[in-house]
């Protein structure tokens, strides 16, 4: 499917007046568990955030058992997408930058579901948003794009992973001081939602957790066999970057935060010893302790240890000395791509008008 970029028409609202004559861009990421939106305007080599939105929608709830998106889950997602559409219209303006340029994507839940395409059509009709399903490669590319400033801190190569609700993307990246380049990618069919539905209870026992980690390591080994990442790590100069709620939660645990603070987490480097200690602490807390933790809470508690099992497999197979934590994801990658495209002559323009 070709990328659909919506040119949202002007809405005469206060937020639009605040935006003034700046070009404004928006990205919406509908995942297996969350619906997220980000609106920004170019600033330096990045962007200034104007608005953001995030809501747990559990679009993939029950998908593992039925193979379909449930009516209730689809209703929750469309309700959140409708909020995003309304915010998009508020930010649209008629200044020199033109209308708001926006892209809306859906990922693994819609790729897997028998009725994924049907849901996308319904969501587009209900909200006017140019929602589209992207493939795993583009998902990995967007994760790399969002983390580019962190990747360029140093090193020859980087392993970047994004533990999502329905899948986990792993990217093997060439850096060498320039623009990060994707060498290879892997999309594992396991995420925090799918694992929580399949085997959440076994994560609370040592034997069950260890067995699950081993199963995930076996899924990673073919990728390792092709790219020989372990050998590159032994040579030195390989970064490991993690971007997901699992990794930011472990960072919050490691830093002993009394509440989650993005400014203290995004870009922090944790030693391997600190990561191991955070994993042990999270597992020792148990379900009750995790639900009371200020960086977790009851809404996310069921996803913590499944995510930790996925991370522990990556951490075990690729033993990089430290972990760089990124509190950023696909919506940031969408904005960076849209801004770059706006500054690059295009041979062909894809448009969608609400």
């Amino acid at each position: 499917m070709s990328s659909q970029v919506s040119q949202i028409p002007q809405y005469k609202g206060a937020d639009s007046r605040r935006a003034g004559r700046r070009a404004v861009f928006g990205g919406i990421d509908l995942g297996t568990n969350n619906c997220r939106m980000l609106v920004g305007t170019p600033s330096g080599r990045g962007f200034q955030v104007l608005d953001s939105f995030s809501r747990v929608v559990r679009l993939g709830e029950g998908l593992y058992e039925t193979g379909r998106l449930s009516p209730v889950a689809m209703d929750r997602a469309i309700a959140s997408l409708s909020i995003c559409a309304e915010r998009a219209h508020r930010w649209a303006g008629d200044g020199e930058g033109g209308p708001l340029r926006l892209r809306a994507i859906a990922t693994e839940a819609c790729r897997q579901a028998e009725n994924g395409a049907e849901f996308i059509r319904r969501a587009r009709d209900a909200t006017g948003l140019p929602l589209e399903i992207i493939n795993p490669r583009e998902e990995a590319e967007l994760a790399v794009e969002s983390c580019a400033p962190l990747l360029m801190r140093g090193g020859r190569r980087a392993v970047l992973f994004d533990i999502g609700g329905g899948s986990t993307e792993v990217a093997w990246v060439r850096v060498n001081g320039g623009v990060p380049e994707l060498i290879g990618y892997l999309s594992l069919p396991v995420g925090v939602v799918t694992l929580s539905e399949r085997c959440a209870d076994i994560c609370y026992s040592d034997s069950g957790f260890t067995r699950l980690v081993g199963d995930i390591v076996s899924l990673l080994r073919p990728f390792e066999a092709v790219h020989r990442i372990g050998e590159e790590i032994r040579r030195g100069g390989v970064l490991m970057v993690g971007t997901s709620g699992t990794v930011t939660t472990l960072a919050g645990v490691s830093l002993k935060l009394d509440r989650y603070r993005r400014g203290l987490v995004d870009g922090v480097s944790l030693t391997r010893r600190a990561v191991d200690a955070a994993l042990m602490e999270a597992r020792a807390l148990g379900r009750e302790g995790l639900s009371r933790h200020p960086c977790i809470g009851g809404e996310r508690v069921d996803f913590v240890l499944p995510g930790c099992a996925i991370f522990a497999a990556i951490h075990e197979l690729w033993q990089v000395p430290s972990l760089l934590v990124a509190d950023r994801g696909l919506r940031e990658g969408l904005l960076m791509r849209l801004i770059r495209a706006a500054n690059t002559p295009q041979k062909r323009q894809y448009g969608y008008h609400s």
Side-chain angles (χ1 to χ4, degrees), residues 186 188-190 195 198-199 202-203 207-222 309-310 312-314 316-317:
L186 171 68
L188 293 180
V190 290
L195 281 187
R198 288 165 50 188
C199 50
I202 74 168
C203 291
S207 60
F209 188 88
T210 300
R211 187 167 64 252
L212 183 56
V213 170
D215 290 344
I216 298 168
V217 168
S218 69
L219 296 176
L220 294 168
R221 288 201 182 280
I310 298 170
I314 295 169
E316 177 181 310
L317 183 60

Side-chain angles (χ1 to χ4, degrees), residues 139-154:
E139 190 170 350
E141 289 173 343
L142 288 170
V144 171
E145 186 111 40
S146 70
C147 295
L150 299 178
L151 293 169
M152 291 190 290
R153 284 187 178 182

Side-chain angles (χ1 to χ4, degrees), residues 242-325:
T243 169
S244 67
T246 296
V247 176
T248 57
T249 295
L250 287 172
V253 170
S254 179
L255 297 171
K256 311 296 183 187
L257 299 183
D258 57 357
R259 61 182 176 85
Y260 185 79
R261 301 178 189 178
R262 182 183 186 275
L264 297 178
V265 170
D266 184 48
V268 71
S269 180
L270 301 177
T271 66
R272 190 170 182 85
R273 177 179 293 182
V275 170
D276 288 337
L279 276 169
M280 289 181 61
E281 182 176 346
R283 292 179 58 194
L285 284 170
R287 194 181 192 285
E288 193 64 30
L290 290 169
S291 66
R292 293 196 303 266
H293 195 282
C295 293
I296 300 169
E299 191 174 52
R300 297 180 53 237
V301 66
D302 290 332
F303 306 136
V304 176
L305 291 192
C308 285
I310 298 170
F311 169 66
I314 295 169
H315 184 63
E316 177 181 310
L317 183 60
W318 295 312
Q319 299 192 10
V320 176
S322 61
L323 170 70
L324 198 56
V325 179

Side-chain angles (χ1 to χ4, degrees), residues 1-249:
M1 179 184 292
S2 298
S3 299
Q4 299 295 308
V5 179
S6 179
Q7 306 291 316
I8 303 294
Q10 181 186 9
Y11 175 90
K12 300 290 187 180
D15 289 337
S16 177
R17 290 193 295 271
R18 282 201 300 272
R21 292 184 176 274
R22 294 174 291 179
V24 181
F25 301 85
I28 297 172
D29 168 24
L30 178 62
T32 303
N33 197 46
N34 296 281
C35 177
R36 298 184 174 99
M37 178 180 183
L38 196 63
V39 177
T41 188
S43 177
R45 295 184 178 180
F47 56 84
Q48 175 189 348
V49 175
L50 300 175
D51 194 9
S52 66
F53 171 80
S54 181
R55 177 171 292 179
V56 175
V57 296
R58 304 193 308 279
L59 179 60
E61 185 177 48
L63 177 61
Y64 173 72
E65 293 181 356
T66 68
R68 296 179 61 84
L69 304 175
S70 73
V72 173
M74 290 190 288
D75 287 345
R76 286 194 300 256
I78 289 175
S80 289
L81 288 170
S82 296
I83 295 172
C84 293
E86 191 275 334
R87 289 194 178 201
H89 281 287
R90 277 197 286 145
W91 280 107
D94 63 348
E96 292 176 355
L100 169 69
R101 299 185 185 187
L102 178 141
R103 191 170 175 211
I105 62 169
T107 54
E108 186 65 15
C110 291
R111 288 196 294 259
Q112 284 188 12
E114 294 174 9
N115 58 342
E118 174 188 333
F119 165 74
I120 295 296
R121 289 192 294 270
R122 178 184 162 197
R124 289 173 68 116
D125 290 342
T127 66
L129 293 171
L131 189 64
E132 59 178 313
I133 302 172
I134 63 170
N135 61 41
R137 181 183 178 90
E138 184 169 11
E139 190 170 350
E141 289 173 343
L142 288 170
V144 171
E145 186 111 40
S146 70
C147 295
L150 299 178
L151 293 169
M152 291 190 290
R153 284 187 178 182
R156 303 176 297 106
R157 301 283 189 273
V159 179
L160 184 148
F161 62 91
D162 181 2
I163 303 171
S167 65
T168 296
E169 269 56 54
V170 180
W172 179 229
V173 184
R174 179 180 294 109
V175 186
N176 285 336
V179 176
E181 177 188 352
L182 187 65
I183 301 171
Y185 74 96
L186 171 68
S187 183
L188 293 180
V190 290
V192 297
V193 174
T194 51
L195 281 187
S196 70
E197 292 187 353
R198 288 165 50 188
C199 50
D201 290 343
I202 74 168
C203 291
Y204 292 97
S205 73
D206 288 342
S207 60
F209 188 88
T210 300
R211 187 167 64 252
L212 183 56
V213 170
D215 290 344
I216 298 168
V217 168
S218 69
L219 296 176
L220 294 168
R221 288 201 182 280
F223 190 70
E224 160 64 19
V226 171
H227 296 287
R228 300 186 178 277
I229 296 169
E231 185 176 316
E232 292 286 349
I233 291 170
R234 288 188 288 274
R235 290 175 56 197
V238 176
L239 292 173
M240 178 174 281
V241 181
T243 169
S244 67
T246 296
V247 176
T248 57
T249 295

